[in-house]
Amino acid sequence: MTDTKPEIRFPEEFLFGGATAANQYEGAWNVDGKGPSIQDVMTHGITKAPDETVQSANLKLDGVDGYHHFREDIALMAEMGFQVYRFSVAWSRIFPTGMEEEPGEQGLLFYDQVVNACLEHGIEPMITISHYETPLVLSRTLDGFRSRETIEHYERFARTLMERWKGKVRWWITFNEINALWNFPLMGAGIWTRKDKLAPKDFWQTAHHELVAASRVVKLAHEIDPENKVGCMILGMANYARTCHPADEIMAMKEDERGLFFSDVMLRGHYPAYALRKMEKEGIRLETHPQDFEDLKTTHDFLSFSYYMSKTIAHDPENYQFSAGNLVTGTANPYLKCSEWGWQIDPAGLRWLLNKYWNRYEKPLFIVENGLGAMDEYQKKPGVPYTVDDQYRIDYMNDHLVQVWKAMDLDGVPVLGYTSWGCVDLISASTAEMKKRYGFIYVNRNQDGSGDMSRSRKKSFFWYRDVIASRGANLKDRESEE
Ligand code: BG6
């Protein structure tokens, strides 16, 4: 690499923090008036069919009992110096079926406490309105966002939250990884109908409803409080051509279009030409209202995204090995190492992606998920302040943050902040496992369901505290040093 070693100092206004999602963190899936969500029947992860037999002791349903531990967790986040905490509101805690006219007060009271706990510690709450947790009844009755009616239910839900926490919460995200619809229509958009029974039009129609819903909520957010900042959120992926064969490049470009269609609309305010032409060629005529296209002109304030890995695209994939990945896979990249779950680790890919997004949209960026899912070994040693020696996680995050800094400092990309994924250990989304951990905060809960849910600090806890306190001065550009 030719880049010189930068002196790292993230500006004070760059927000460091962490992120969780209700369905992976809270547990308490059926208490205080909460209705079931689609996640409560996805207890075996996304690759298995939903299972509606209610199980009393189940890893997924219990989460990591954040419902009863949030105060302690937020205090630990404050100890690390978090400036922002991204969490989601379980839709069915507020509207048990998703379709009620009035919200349930008990659910709101719970999140009042979460919001207030953040503010008491000087942490900015960032709320993901919908993080893969559509109410089950709405999903089964309306097929989620496949139905136009869901737009108004979602709007009512969002309005309820924004009015309730006006002046307290100013960071909002409309949908988690909205582009997951293409591969996981149930998790991404609450479509109960099996994926293999859906026609291409169903996907585009659902996307349209989500996009209209999101743009209306941005407008609403600005009306309720001009201080509100609303981000769209996508699963971020660096798609590299596997070789410099032009056919690989074209395929990588097409893969980008698939991943960026939603943000293209949400940040530019209209459908991109490639999507219109694709629908035309496939004979798809969307059912729309004239007002929809006016609504879509209200664009999001920033682009947020998750980033865990990159993948490569080949026009002749049969000639290559495949790597595993976050909801999507590609051909393996021989230059990269993998996590224990086979996800390819690519810190420089984050810099590449930040540049790509900035150059495409010229809207500020927020990395709202990043981290290493790994198997941690709990060891309590006398005189050692931490219970897990997770140097591998420190290395992973160090290398990614260095690349964020390079994108900002060397390339001039405006980045608003960074919330690492699963700052408290939680249940994984794709495989519903406890043994796949991301946190700085260890949760005593084992894959077999044993453990008392108590919390302790990992080595990475102290490291991240120092990153925040020093604004990144303790980060090491290991790439330049090698
Ligand atoms: C993202 C999701 O896709 O990846 C999170 O927004 C998820 O909900 C994260 O947890 C990591 O994936 P996994 O399967 O390791 O939990």
Side-chain angles (χ1 to χ4, degrees):
M1 295 290 288
T2 51
D3 294 328
T4 51
K5 187 180 172 191
E7 191 180 310
I8 302 176
R9 285 289 185 283
F10 283 91
E12 287 300 322
E13 59 275 16
F14 180 94
L15 300 175
F16 279 109
T20 62
N23 70 88
Q24 296 169 255
Y25 170 70
E26 288 174 6
W29 66 285
N30 60 353
V31 307
D32 295 341
K34 178 179 172 293
S37 88
I38 54 167
Q39 289 290 344
D40 299 334
V41 296
M42 295 172 68
T43 47
H44 303 292
I46 51 169
T47 51
K48 310 259 170 37
D51 174 4
E52 288 195 78
T53 47
V54 176
Q55 299 159 30
S56 51
N58 180 286
L59 283 178
K60 186 69 185 286
L61 294 173
D62 294 344
V64 289
D65 199 26
Y67 196 73
H68 298 108
H69 287 78
F70 71 90
R71 283 185 201 288
E72 181 186 351
D73 291 338
I74 292 171
L76 286 165
M77 291 174 202
E79 198 180 313
M80 279 185 273
F82 275 29
Q83 295 160 283
V84 60
Y85 171 38
R86 172 187 176 225
F87 59 92
S88 69
V89 171
W91 189 345
S92 60
R93 244 186 234 297
I94 313 296
F95 292 92
T97 67
M99 297 181 290
E100 291 83 355
E101 286 297 322
E102 296 299 326
E105 187 60 17
Q106 267 184 304
L108 287 168
L109 283 170
F110 168 68
Y111 292 107
D112 281 349
Q113 297 174 67
V114 178
V115 167
N116 290 338
C118 288
L119 297 177
E120 279 157 23
H121 285 289
I123 297 173
E124 291 236 32
M126 171 186 264
I127 291 183
T128 313
I129 298 167
S130 178
H131 191 129
Y132 292 158
E133 43 213 1
T134 308
L136 182 62
V137 178
L138 188 151
S139 170
R140 298 192 55 160
T141 313
L142 297 177
D143 238 1
F145 279 91
R146 191 172 160 211
S147 160
R148 188 168 178 103
E149 188 186 321
T150 300
I151 298 175
E152 66 194 63
H153 296 306
Y154 172 81
E155 255 189 288
R156 191 181 318 113
F157 172 45
R159 178 192 293 278
T160 302
L161 309 186
M162 289 172 172
E163 286 179 347
R164 181 87 172 193
W165 300 309
K166 177 177 174 177
K168 290 187 165 186
V169 178
R170 54 182 191 124
W171 294 95
W172 302 90
I173 289 173
T174 44
F175 288 97
N176 182 65
E177 297 186 336
I178 190 169
N179 50 351
L181 162 70
W182 302 134
N183 291 332
F184 297 97
L186 172 59
M187 190 167 80
I191 302 181
W192 189 253
T193 303
R194 273 176 35 193
K195 186 180 174 187
D196 57 3
K197 304 272 183 234
L198 297 172
K201 180 181 172 188
D202 295 317
F203 287 88
W204 289 101
Q205 190 66 53
T206 302
H208 181 73
H209 294 153
E210 287 191 302
L211 290 165
V212 170
S215 62
R216 285 196 197 168
V217 163
V218 178
K219 186 158 180 278
L220 189 66
H222 293 153
E223 282 165 5
I224 291 173
D225 187 346
E227 290 293 303
N228 277 333
K229 297 180 196 315
V230 191
C232 55
M233 199 280 194
I234 57 170
L235 187 157
M237 181 63 69
N239 292 313
Y240 302 143
R242 179 66 180 78
T243 72
C244 51
H245 191 302
D248 286 359
E249 290 287 357
I250 294 287
M251 283 197 71
M253 178 188 81
K254 286 287 158 196
E255 186 68 7
D256 265 353
E257 288 176 353
R258 198 164 182 268
L260 297 177
F261 161 69
F262 287 91
S263 43
D264 281 351
V265 179
M266 292 188 287
L267 296 169
R268 291 169 170 166
H270 57 84
Y271 274 70
Y274 64 80
L276 294 173
R277 181 51 58 93
K278 188 166 169 59
M279 282 188 268
E280 189 187 328
K281 293 257 182 215
E282 292 180 10
I284 293 168
R285 286 179 66 89
L286 288 182
E287 288 151 41
T288 61
H289 295 185
Q291 179 60 31
D292 292 353
F293 299 97
E294 281 306 307
D295 289 341
L296 292 178
K297 288 183 186 160
T298 304
T299 55
H300 286 65
D301 301 317
F302 63 96
L303 170 62
S304 64
F305 64 99
S306 58
Y307 179 77
Y308 295 91
M309 51 172 284
S310 61
K311 70 184 195 330
T312 65
I313 318 286
H315 73 286
D316 52 350
E318 62 282 0
N319 293 327
Y320 300 100
Q321 299 231 307
F322 268 72
S323 70
N326 183 23
L327 307 186
V328 284
T329 58
T331 49
N333 184 333
Y335 300 102
L336 301 177
K337 294 187 182 129
C338 292
S339 76
E340 286 169 292
W341 271 261
W343 299 13
Q344 298 192 127
I345 300 171
D346 183 9
L350 180 53
R351 175 180 176 189
W352 186 87
L353 208 56
L354 285 163
N355 274 275
K356 181 167 196 142
Y357 290 165
W358 171 247
N359 291 331
R360 192 172 180 115
Y361 301 122
E362 295 197 336
K363 290 260 192 176
L365 306 170
F366 209 128
I367 302 145
V368 292
E369 285 188 33
N370 174 243
L372 181 69
M375 272 184 267
D376 289 341
E377 193 186 346
Y378 178 93
Q379 278 185 315
K380 187 102 195 75
K381 290 188 187 154
V384 177
Y386 49 80
T387 56
V388 176
D389 184 351
D390 56 344
Q391 186 60 44
Y392 39 88
R393 182 167 293 112
I394 294 172
D395 290 345
Y396 177 101
M397 293 181 65
N398 173 85
D399 295 351
H400 283 77
L401 281 169
V402 167
Q403 295 296 330
V404 175
W405 173 251
K406 287 187 180 180
M408 293 170 71
D409 183 52
L410 300 177
D411 309 328
V413 178
V415 187
L416 299 167
Y418 174 91
T419 56
S420 70
W421 177 244
C423 49
V424 184
D425 288 343
L426 37 65
I427 307 294
S428 65
S430 52
T431 45
E433 291 172 287
M434 186 65 227
K435 65 174 190 271
K436 188 181 192 186
R437 297 170 184 271
Y438 286 88
F440 306 115
I441 300 169
Y442 183 84
V443 176
N444 180 18
R445 170 73 156 174
N446 303 310
Q447 186 66 25
D448 63 6
S450 62
D452 63 4
M453 300 278 191
S454 58
R455 279 37 180 175
S456 59
R457 298 164 185 79
K458 301 183 192 177
K459 188 177 184 184
S460 56
F461 179 101
F462 298 98
W463 170 82
Y464 198 47
R465 182 193 65 185
D466 294 346
V467 171
I468 300 174
S470 69
R471 308 308 299 168
N474 64 336
L475 295 171
K476 295 188 175 62
D477 186 0
R478 304 190 308 151
E479 194 181 44
S480 305
E481 284 164 10
E482 270 165 17

